[in-house]
Amino acid sequence: MTLNSSPPSPATAAGPVAGARGGDAASSAARHDGVICFSHLRWNFVFQRPQHLMERFARSVPVVYVEEPVTAAADAVPVMAEARCPKTGVVVATPHLPPGCEGPARDQALSTLFTELARRHGLLRPLLWYYTPMLFAASRALPAAALVYDCMDELANFRFAPPELRIFEHELIAAADLVLTGGYSLYEAKCTLHPDVHPFPSSVDAAHFGQARQELPCPPDLAAIPGPRLGFYGVIDERIDLDLIDAIAAARPDWSLVMVGPLAKLSPDDLPRRPNIHYLGMKSYADLPAYLAHWDVAMMPFAINAATRFISPTKTPEYLAGGCPVVSTPITDVVRHFGRLQGVQIARTAEEVVAACAALLALPRGADSAWQVEADAMLADTSWDRTHAEIAAHVNRVVAARGDRRAGRPLHLVPQTPRRAPAVRTGGRKPHYDALVVGAGFAGAVMAERLAAHAGKRVLIIDRRPHIAGNAHDCVDAAGVLIHSYGPHIFHTNSADVFAYLSRFTTWRPYEHRVLAQVRGQLVPIPINRTTLNLLFGSNLTSDAEAAAFLAARAEPVAKILTSEDVVVSAVGRELYELFFRGYTRKQWALDPSALDRSVTARVPTRTDTDDRYFTDTFQAMPAQGYTRMFEAMLDHPRIDIETGVDFRDVMDGVRYGRLIFTGTIDEFFGHCYGPLPYRSLRFEHVTHDRAVYQPVATVNYPDEAVPYTRVTEFKHLTGQSHPRTSIVYEHPSDTGDPYYPIPREENQALFKRYEALAAARPEVTFVGRLATYRYYNMDQVVGQALATYRRLRAASAVATSTPAEPGRVPSRALMT
Ligand code: FAD
Ligand code: UDP
């Protein structure tokens, strides 16, 4: 391979080659003209799945393999180095970026390099193939015949994985046409995240490793090592159980442990050292059979940890094809696919490994031996050619489907304004829907989407407000700034399911919320953390322990934590409680914290470290095009009609429907028959300033009771929008207005329970959402609740069959007033 800088490729610069190999698509629009593969693995590192698959694609179309960027000299400009592999034709492209080129600047530089790369190689409609989600953002602008995410590993569980990897992975999955997984455990982890996921465990080049069964000369560095030899080849990193290796070597000083492979993320000092442990370093793929030929047992001494939870080691079939029996720790995919073979022993402890090796050493060797015949039978159908052919068939299918969509309807059917349903009539024949959903917030939109898209039901969704998206509604204001109509909405969740579900309707902008509180004339972080304490008290606390001791000295023990006051006073003491919580809470709720359930202030933790994020959830991101766009995508279904600006009262007699899904206030539904449930409201004061930035973070809290509002939020921090002007919102708590907050108090809960009992007697109505279930829920909790509610409905078959409307099932107007 030769290295040069951005050379035009004579073979490909001429223009696109013929379409995908073996594709039966009718037109060139249904083909790809090559593959651009984005990978976290260097091409010249270990020879693995990417190399096997890309070399095979390269037999019929140009393949460009893009590695992760390397750091260039300080004054260098971004450049793409390219090298062509003479044997296979694969072009390996490595971006070189100057130091400090990070974040948006990095993506911008990479995006330019990728665009030029595609142009240079004549790739007008390439298949974009991803091993790493980290290069997705920068390659988004490339034209694509289709996107494939070939998920080899749960990279987010690996040591030093960047925290934003999960978010980028979800974005990639949302955008991908096809998702492949490198094993079955991974398949189980990903199959609910995308409609087109397929497991393709790594395969084996049996002829290559079969050479190990012949009389290959022993490599010199191995020849010097006495037998019996227990061998391993592969990357040596946090996935290897080093203590186990040490213990095996200690238990059998008469056996040699041979470790072949590069060291990654570990220092040589981390490795166990004994006279009978030998580290031979990385060998080429071509040389591996020679090593395997002279081992007595092949090892897979994997640690059982998060990094190995989903692995499906390629070496299992390779070792077996080489005629070497295997001992492995209990890796799920090894146990379930190979664990029953006589030639594969599963062992957890050093003692078990030693016993298993002793049994394997006693096995006869040779193609006729029973264990080898059994293993060969299992491998008979396995080959990289076959795996590649099956994958290529999937690729051709999704490329053709994308071509169809392009030729027909647009990919993103996102109407700018909600469609008006021609449905609701006051006279004549009333239209019929399987379900009427009242409220187009998160609860209603999720129910409508599931009922239409999953259960095939015809749905009418209505909202009394003039828009969809409920409290999460956002829009562009008169100045052109994207604002949240009902105060700041920051999406955060620990639920992969909820995040995956919403990712079907939006891409995301990673965003971590930070809040400062205006206290004693200065802005300090809230939640209270070590920085807050140092700033407020002029202290110099340098460790968690010091901050914890500082707080412990102030905290007032509380026998039983019942109220919102107890939560805070018992953690940080009265002074901080009064500074940060008492005034804010009294303004927000018109109640003293001592009269509020402990769950309210428990939402805001106390920290002893310097983490200044408001939330610590796994997924923290904002819908890239805003919430309203996301709702439009959710409700954009031919079986969903949307009617905004109408109250339930106005339509209940104008349509026939089977099931009613109600997401408004439950007490209103039952005509306040037990009296009104208390809610707290807000008045939003939106202001635009003629400057680009108003405050240092998205939200500043004002706990002082003398200030009439609770917090001020500047939207551009949330949305990332660039604009010469900026819009902010003040939140003024209020008794009157829309019901935003259920008020968590025991007596309110008791009153809600009475309404809930009425609801239980109305099985034809489903109550869901923050208002209908009177719960102080965040957006993700409402989505989770709605998805669970839908699943329960399905399970009960209540929506499985289309139920014609029965007049008696429609709630009477009397119940609504
Ligand atoms: P809603 O969004 O309230 O939707 C219910 C809809 O039903 C409304 O649009 C209403 O007009 C309609 N409706 C009611 N009755 C009728 C009727 N009779 N006829 C027709 N339509 C009717 N959550 C977070 O996760 N992160 C945040 O940062 C966050 N910030 C928030 C900030 C504020 C100021 C507020 C008030 C809430 C915040 N939330 C936040 C919570 C979030 O708004 C809710 O969890 C979520 O919007 C609840 O969705 P929902 O569908 O249950 O209710
Ligand atoms: N809170 C407070 N001071 C603050 C922030 C929060 O007293 O600076 C209390 C207050 O009672 C608030 C509750 O903690 O209602 C929950 O705060 P959160 O930010 O979760 O409120 P939300 O975003 O739901 O309005």
Side-chain angles (χ1 to χ4, degrees), residues 551-552 554-558 566 568-575:
L551 290 173
R554 300 170 159 261
E556 287 179 18
V558 175
D566 299 340
V568 185
V569 168
S570 66
V572 300
R574 200 152 289 276
E575 185 183 2

Side-chain angles (χ1 to χ4, degrees), residues 610-806:
T610 53
D611 187 348
D612 62 350
R613 295 170 305 162
Y614 204 69
F615 309 110
T616 50
D617 302 50
T618 318
F619 304 99
Q620 303 188 42
M622 302 292 289
Q625 307 298 320
Y627 288 98
T628 306
R629 272 305 180 99
M630 180 175 79
F631 275 76
E632 286 172 354
M634 281 172 95
L635 297 177
D636 180 35
H637 193 282
R639 282 190 289 272
I640 299 180
D641 284 332
I642 308 167
E643 184 89 2
T644 54
V646 287
D647 197 290
F648 176 43
R649 248 178 296 234
D650 305 328
V651 303
M652 56 195 282
D653 294 333
V655 288
R656 296 175 304 141
Y657 51 89
R659 170 158 293 276
L660 178 66
I661 311 286
F662 191 81
T663 76
T665 52
I666 190 169
D667 51 327
E668 180 188 334
F669 183 87
F670 290 108
H672 303 118
C673 61
Y674 297 133
L677 269 168
Y679 298 90
R680 192 70 176 145
S681 190
L682 293 167
R683 179 173 62 81
F684 299 104
E685 185 189 351
H686 288 276
V687 177
T688 299
H689 290 283
D690 279 330
R691 56 203 238 207
V693 181
Y694 178 76
Q695 60 189 30
V697 288
T699 299
V700 175
N701 284 1
Y702 292 84
D704 187 345
E705 259 187 292
V707 177
Y709 41 85
T710 48
R711 57 187 180 187
V712 176
T713 298
E714 183 177 14
F715 293 106
K716 281 163 61 182
H717 293 280
L718 310 180
T719 58
Q721 186 181 2
S722 296
H723 197 286
R725 303 178 76 195
T726 192
S727 295
I728 61 172
V729 66
Y730 295 82
E731 290 175 53
H732 297 266
S734 157
D735 254 348
T736 54
D738 278 359
Y740 292 130
Y741 290 87
I743 303 178
R745 270 165 67 82
E746 214 171 283
E747 68 205 52
N748 300 348
Q749 199 51 30
L751 180 54
F752 166 67
K753 287 282 166 206
R754 298 182 69 194
Y755 282 114
E756 197 181 36
L758 290 180
R762 299 292 302 275
E764 81 286 6
V765 186
T766 301
F767 294 87
V768 58
R770 177 151 144 151
L771 302 173
T773 62
Y774 201 66
R775 287 186 172 89
Y776 185 6
Y777 267 174
N778 293 328
M779 295 180 282
D780 65 319
Q781 294 170 303
V782 171
V783 173
Q785 184 197 44
L787 290 173
T789 304
Y790 171 74
R791 279 195 294 270
R792 275 198 302 277
L793 277 181
R794 279 290 280 182
S797 291
V799 294
T801 51
S802 181
T803 37
E806 298 164 27

Side-chain angles (χ1 to χ4, degrees), residues 245-246 249 263 267-279:
I245 289 171
D246 190 47
L263 201 59
S267 124
D269 296 341
D270 297 330
L271 300 177
R273 302 280 173 186
R274 288 183 187 273
N276 61 332
I277 309 179
H278 305 270
Y279 299 97

Side-chain angles (χ1 to χ4, degrees), residues 214-232:
Q214 287 132 38
E215 294 290 301
L216 289 179
C218 189
D221 55 351
L222 185 64
I225 299 170
R229 300 183 188 114
L230 277 47
F232 165 86

